Amino acid sequence: MSAFQGTAGSSDSRRTERGGVPAHPISGLAYKRIVVGYGFWVFLLSDIIMFSAFFASYAVLVGNTAGGPSGHDLFDLRNVALETACLLLSSFTCGIASIGAQRRNGLWFFGAMAVTFILGAAFLSIEVREFAGMVAKGAGPTRSAFLSAFFTLVGCHGLHVTCGLLWLLTMMAQVFAKGYRPDILRRVLCFSLFWHALDIIWVALFTVVYLMGAGQ
C-alpha cells in the first residue's frame, strides 16, 4: 500500500467517524444499545404519564356515582390484599430471575420466571373474577362515571400485566433457544424494569382506589 493510499484510508476513516456513523462494529453495537435503552425509558415514562392521566380522571370522577354503588359498597379488601400479595411476590421472584440470568443459572432463571408467571396469572384471575362479580351486580362500566373511571384505570393495569406475562414467556423461550447472549440479557433486564414498574403503579392504585374508596 502506498503512502497516499494509507493517508486516504485514514482520512476516510476520520470522515466516517465525524459523520456520526461508527467505523467499527463494536462501536455500532454500543450505539444500538444506547438507542434501545433510551427508547425503552421513553416507553416506560410515557406509560407512567398515561397512568397519571387515568389517576387524575379517577380522582375527579370518583364521587359521580349517579345514585349507584360506590367503592365502599363494591370493594372486597380481602381479595384485593390477596391480589397485592401475588403481585408483590412476583416482583421478588422476577428479581431472582434477573440474578439467575446474569449468573447463567438455568435453575434460578427458569424456576423464578415460572413462579413469576404463576403469581401474575393468579393476580389476573382474581381481578377478572372481581370484574365479573361487579358486572353481575349491575355495576358495570356504563353504570356511572365512577365505574367507568374505575374499570379504565384498573383494567388498563390488568392489560399491562397480561402483556407482561406474554413478554415473560417470550423471554423464557429466547433464553432456552439462544442462551444468555448479551442482547437477550438486555431484554430480560427491560422486562424486569417493566414488571417492577407495574408493581409500583399497583401500590398507588391499591392505596388511591381501594383503600381510600372502601373507607368512603
Side-chain angles (χ1 to χ4, degrees), residues 187-199:
R187 295 170 193 168
V188 172
L189 176 61
C190 289
F191 163 76
S192 179
L193 292 172
F194 174 78
W195 196 259
H196 293 319
L198 291 183
D199 281 356

Side-chain angles (χ1 to χ4, degrees), residues 127-161:
E127 188 169 273
V128 169
R129 189 164 63 245
E130 177 192 22
F131 284 0
M134 292 173 67
V135 172
K137 296 177 182 177
T142 59
R143 177 63 182 83
S144 65
F146 154 67
L147 287 170
S148 295
F150 168 80
F151 276 94
T152 300
L153 175 57
V154 181
C156 183
H157 180 270
L159 181 61
H160 277 69
V161 173

Side-chain angles (χ1 to χ4, degrees), residues 24-163:
H24 197 279
I26 295 179
S27 299
L29 291 174
Y31 179 76
K32 183 178 180 180
R33 285 198 299 269
I34 293 172
V35 171
V36 171
Y38 179 77
F40 176 76
W41 280 109
V42 169
F43 157 73
L44 206 58
L45 289 174
S46 66
D47 230 26
I48 292 174
I49 292 172
M50 180 187 67
F51 272 106
S52 299
F54 285 154
F55 271 107
S57 299
Y58 177 84
V60 171
L61 299 174
V62 65
N64 298 336
T65 60
S70 65
H72 179 75
D73 304 315
L74 296 171
F75 298 155
D76 185 350
L77 290 184
R78 289 175 297 181
N79 284 340
V80 181
L82 185 58
E83 281 184 281
T84 304
C86 287
L87 202 59
L88 293 182
L89 283 175
S90 74
S91 185
F92 174 73
T93 55
C94 181
I96 294 178
S98 298
I99 296 173
Q102 293 295 329
R103 295 187 176 182
R104 275 72 169 173
N105 189 313
L107 179 61
W108 278 32
F109 175 75
F110 288 105
M113 288 290 264
V115 175
T116 302
F117 181 87
I118 292 171
L119 291 170
F123 169 87
L124 283 178
S125 66
I126 296 171
E127 188 169 273
V128 169
R129 189 164 63 245
E130 177 192 22
F131 284 0
M134 292 173 67
V135 172
K137 296 177 182 177
T142 59
R143 177 63 182 83
S144 65
F146 154 67
L147 287 170
S148 295
F150 168 80
F151 276 94
T152 300
L153 175 57
V154 181
C156 183
H157 180 270
L159 181 61
H160 277 69
V161 173
T162 302
C163 294

Side-chain angles (χ1 to χ4, degrees), residues 172-193:
M172 293 180 70
Q174 287 192 352
V175 172
F176 180 79
K178 301 178 182 179
Y180 301 99
R181 295 185 341 197
D183 58 330
I184 302 296
L185 292 178
R186 287 196 300 274
R187 295 170 193 168
V188 172
L189 176 61
C190 289
F191 163 76
S192 179
L193 292 172

